[in-house]
Amino acid sequence: MTLTTDRTASAAATAPPLPAAPQFGGTGVLRQIQVLAGRSLRALREPALVLPGVLEPILMLTVFSQVFKSVSQTTAFPAGVSYIDYLLPAFLVTGSISAALKSGVALTTEMNNGIIARFKAMPVHTGSVLVARSIADTALNLVNMLVMLGAAALVFGFGPAGGVLGSLGAVVIAVVLGWSLGWVFMALSAWLRRPEALQPIGGIVNMVLLFASNAFVPAEGLPSWLKGFAEVNPMSHAITAARDLALGRAHTSTVLAPLAVCLVVVALTAPLAIRTFRRTT
């Protein structure tokens, strides 16, 4: 018995060590972004989540195109332009701002319902969560913009002088603006951490920028004090760029300036949003 035990102990001592269990370090950042963005895009499979975002701007377009239609008969209104051709580019821009606010609200919701805490327990890069949400929400916003464009053409007779290319150019302006402001609202959401705090702030900012702009009437037709604000309102510049593209009157500087500002906004707020998100989650 002693001999057998000694042989077993000797064999155990001379046996090669067992390999250590593999440690899972997570996938690459690009793969993480792809998976997380796909998770957010699965909302397209649920009509109950998609239809409200599509129908709301169309219903608002129906109301505003009828209520303010008489504006097209004023002397300040551009000659030879129908009101729907004038109004829709503005709605593309304002719709993108609303979509950007929803990005921030969705992020704060996930921070409070425990989903982000689960991600933190996994080998997931912090920035991947925000980049994936930005990509997914931008894609959803693009779908909404194209649906609105198609509905306006079929129902309201939208047919600007810029044609299809000009209209798609207006969509690009709106989507890039929504993408950049999405990072602003995600930075705010990472700081505030409560959707009920973010929504009123975003709603007030959106309302002030919308009604103190050239969205519904030309700036020349506004009171002098409001005209001055509308001329420096960043929403007015984005609307002008989208409108000029749709109407076939675009100038290079008018189009490139808002796009450049959007890129600067992303360059400043994306690192801030990721840093704040990493500290507060």
Side-chain angles (χ1 to χ4, degrees):
M1 177 67 70
T2 303
L3 181 60
T4 303
T5 303
D6 292 342
R7 289 178 178 177
T8 303
S10 176
T14 58
L18 295 175
Q23 298 293 324
F24 179 66
T27 59
V29 173
L30 293 180
R31 178 58 180 168
Q32 292 176 12
I33 293 173
Q34 179 184 356
V35 172
L36 293 172
R39 166 186 168 272
S40 298
L41 285 173
R42 279 197 287 271
L44 289 172
R45 302 178 184 176
E46 303 182 30
L49 298 177
V50 177
L51 285 178
V54 174
L55 294 178
E56 180 183 357
I58 294 177
L59 293 175
M60 291 183 62
L61 180 63
T62 303
V63 173
F64 281 95
S65 64
Q66 301 305 311
V67 171
F68 293 101
K69 190 175 183 180
S70 59
V71 173
S72 61
Q73 301 173 6
T74 61
T75 56
F77 197 80
V81 177
S82 68
Y83 190 65
I84 187 64
D85 292 348
Y86 181 87
L87 181 63
L88 183 62
F91 259 84
L92 294 175
V93 171
T94 57
S96 283
I97 295 176
S98 298
L101 175 59
K102 291 177 182 177
S103 295
V105 172
L107 182 61
T108 53
T109 301
E110 291 187 343
M111 290 171 65
N112 284 276
N113 64 13
I115 292 179
I116 298 300
R118 295 180 184 179
F119 289 155
K120 293 287 289 183
M122 303 176 184
V124 176
H125 191 275
T126 306
S128 300
V129 178
L130 299 188
V131 173
R133 173 153 296 283
S134 176
I135 293 174
D137 290 345
T138 300
L140 291 172
N141 187 29
L142 176 60
V143 172
N144 289 341
M145 296 296 102
L146 294 177
V147 170
M148 188 193 304
L149 200 65
L154 294 175
V155 179
F156 300 102
F158 176 71
V164 175
L165 290 180
S167 300
L168 293 178
V171 170
V172 170
I173 293 288
V175 170
V176 171
L177 177 67
W179 166 64
S180 64
L181 291 181
W183 281 104
V184 174
F185 284 117
M186 284 193 293
L188 283 174
S189 68
W191 176 51
L192 296 172
R193 302 194 64 182
R194 298 181 68 86
E196 59 269 25
L198 179 63
Q199 284 180 318
I201 294 175
I204 292 173
V205 171
N206 192 17
M207 183 181 67
V208 172
L209 294 180
L210 173 62
F211 288 100
S213 71
N214 61 351
F216 305 116
V217 297
E220 291 75 11
L222 296 173
S224 57
W225 64 272
L226 190 56
K227 176 184 176 182
F229 183 83
E231 289 176 347
V232 298
N233 185 346
M235 183 182 288
S236 293
H237 292 282
I239 291 173
T240 297
R243 184 174 285 151
D244 286 351
L245 282 168
L247 298 179
R249 304 175 179 179
H251 299 282
T252 303
S253 58
T254 305
V255 175
L256 292 183
L259 294 176
V261 170
C262 289
L263 293 178
V264 171
V265 168
V266 172
L268 294 175
T269 57
L272 176 63
I274 294 173
R275 188 182 307 114
T276 307
F277 181 70
R278 182 183 297 118
R279 291 176 179 176
T280 57
T281 55

